[in-house]
Amino acid sequence: MRGSRTGQLAAVDLGATNGRVIAGAVGPDRIDIRQVARFSNEPVHIWNGWRAALHWDIAGLFGQLSTGLAEAARQAPELLGVGIDSWAVDYGLLRDGRLLGLPHHYRDTRSGVGLDAVHAVISQSELFERNGLQFLPFTTIYQLAAEQLVGALDIAEHALLVPDLVGYWLTGTMVTERTNASTTGLLGTTGDWDRALQDRLGFPPHLFPELVDAGTHLGDLLPSMATSLGLDRALQVVTVASHDTASAVVAAPMAPEAAAYISCGTWGLVGVELSAPVLTAAARAANFTNEFGADHRIRFLHNVMGSWLLTETARQWERDGTARAELTLLLDQAAVCAAPAAVFDVDDPRFLPPGDIPARIANWYAEHELPIPGSRAEMVRAIVESLAAAFARSVHAAAALSGTDVRMIHMVGGGAQNRLLCQLTADHAGLPVSAGPVEATAIGNLLIQARAHGLVSGDLDALRAVVAAAFITERYTPRPATKGKEP
């Protein structure tokens, strides 16, 4: 990989639980990162006349990330630019360039009516043939159908996915970045908007703006934004692989022809990287998805509930009014607990909404006439064991459905810090797990920016070589079978 200089860049990484601004010095043979800001991303309940709906506090998030960018610019006066990534599927509706309301949270229950409306027009099987996506009840296509039923699409001129909305507020330019667009259900398997599908569903053709690829120069910060950040010069905004999983996969230091990845945060995204989608009936039956990655690679993957189960369990114990639940200590205690009598189905829909996850897990075990985990440590062990089993199943399914000879699993994201999860995933899969880097999403974000700025060059293999040289990973080897049984 050749290049001539090192540059300072900032990555805005908005996760479904928290957000970060990560600054990095990137060059042809180095990438050094530091966290500049970290902030919570808590949903808000807003009464809409007949129920309390779940929304994102997008204005609050924008204020937090702006403060983080100002600090990044203060620490690095030579800062060149910024890229934004976030969770998928959610969006803001705009008219005359103004946001019409706070974006709905994908865990809000409104999507059910949209789901019924979509499948009254097109079957799930035909939809999969057109977009290659797994069935998830909160996919953008269902959310928009719910908006249509209440007349919101008659008012809106544009729908901007969360990172595109942030980019618009920073630069005044409206686009839709392709990796995140591929999670909406409205993109065809060729990577272009499926205008015929949008027409069948009655969605206005102007709703989503022009598609662009990761690495597109979006524009300079608006003068007003630059002033508010304390800048007296231009700061360039570049589109990255704006679905956070797509950025994380960029930074997974893997050989795609022989590896699977697990991007583990609020969700666990488990899959392989391919050059073409897998559109077989078996892939649809297994509920696998074909999403676009950087450089038009295909992320063939399955969504698993992820660390949401752990964090929401800890929140519930705190809501109960007992002592603060420290997950690090609980994970240490869980590591010496016996495996549960059986793992539970982490993808059961009951675990999707916020609330009392421990009670729901207990109900699941009771319904299946299985012993209920007793102590907190036993509950945490059951969660981690069940996640690991689900990850392993998805790895083997991805390999079988795609024909990939998986010999290594790369765990990236926050889950790479969970030693118990990494070890149990290796045990259940019977394959070694390479854990790290933890900040893979921000690293992938920075690398795509760096390539657009000419600081690095090459394809994804070349970018991953920079990651492999710069970050230490930890290897977990499968142990003899000690795992919980399937129910």
Side-chain angles (χ1 to χ4, degrees), residues 256 273-274 291-299 460-461 464:
E273 185 178 82
L274 306 173
E291 296 172 1
F292 276 86
D295 296 1
H296 286 235
R297 304 279 181 96
I298 297 297
R299 294 176 291 118
L460 292 186
D461 293 338
R464 288 169 179 149

Side-chain angles (χ1 to χ4, degrees), residues 93-376:
L93 294 177
L94 296 92
R95 182 179 179 86
D96 296 326
R98 292 174 291 182
L99 192 65
L100 293 175
L102 292 181
H104 276 81
H105 192 298
Y106 62 83
R107 294 188 192 273
D108 187 66
T109 57
R110 71 178 181 137
S111 297
V113 294
L115 191 155
D116 293 339
V118 168
H119 291 306
V121 175
I122 183 170
S123 68
Q124 283 190 29
S125 59
E126 184 185 352
L127 195 59
F128 181 80
E129 290 173 3
R130 298 186 77 104
N131 63 25
L133 293 194
Q134 65 187 316
F135 170 72
L136 293 171
F138 48 75
T139 302
T140 314
I141 190 173
Y142 302 127
Q143 294 198 50
L144 287 173
E147 303 270 21
Q148 186 181 47
L149 291 171
V150 297
L153 300 191
D154 297 332
I155 302 170
E157 292 176 343
H158 297 104
L160 290 180
L161 296 165
V162 169
D164 301 322
L165 178 60
V166 173
Y168 167 63
W169 282 342
L170 291 176
T171 66
T173 301
M174 286 191 188
V175 298
T176 307
E177 191 277 321
R178 200 177 309 272
T179 68
N180 215 7
S182 72
T183 72
T184 65
L186 296 168
L187 206 69
T189 56
T190 61
D192 297 313
W193 290 124
D194 188 337
R195 298 299 186 187
L197 174 61
Q198 294 178 29
D199 183 62
R200 283 175 66 178
L201 295 172
F203 294 166
H206 54 72
L207 201 59
F208 283 108
E210 173 193 3
L211 284 165
V212 299
D213 287 324
T216 299
H217 287 269
L218 193 58
D220 291 344
L221 281 185
L222 292 166
S224 59
M225 278 303 309
T227 299
S228 72
L229 297 179
L231 295 173
D232 58 2
R233 56 186 170 74
L235 186 65
Q236 295 182 47
V237 181
V238 169
T239 62
V240 297
S242 66
H243 181 200
D244 51 12
T245 304
S247 275
V249 172
V250 168
M254 63 181 183
E257 69 279 1
Y261 57 81
I262 302 174
S263 178
C264 185
T266 302
W267 289 89
L269 294 308
V270 186
V272 294
E273 185 178 82
L274 306 173
S275 59
V278 179
L279 301 173
T280 61
R284 182 175 71 84
N287 210 26
F288 266 71
T289 200
N290 297 271
E291 296 172 1
F292 276 86
D295 296 1
H296 286 235
R297 304 279 181 96
I298 297 297
R299 294 176 291 118
F300 181 64
L301 61 87
H302 177 70
N303 277 45
V304 179
M305 200 64 76
S307 61
W308 159 258
L309 291 172
L310 285 171
T311 55
E312 189 65 8
T313 291
R315 286 194 194 97
Q316 183 59 44
W317 286 333
E318 291 180 22
R319 287 192 290 262
D320 289 342
T322 53
R324 179 176 174 82
E326 294 290 349
L327 270 177
T328 302
L329 176 60
L330 287 169
L331 286 167
D332 289 342
Q333 294 171 348
V336 297
C337 287
V343 296
F344 66 90
D345 178 11
V346 298
D347 291 329
D348 190 303
R350 76 184 75 188
F351 302 127
L352 181 62
D356 194 344
I357 296 296
R360 295 175 198 167
I361 293 172
N363 289 339
W364 188 97
Y365 277 103
E367 290 171 10
H368 290 80
E369 299 182 344
L370 293 165
I372 298 171
S375 68
R376 287 184 173 189

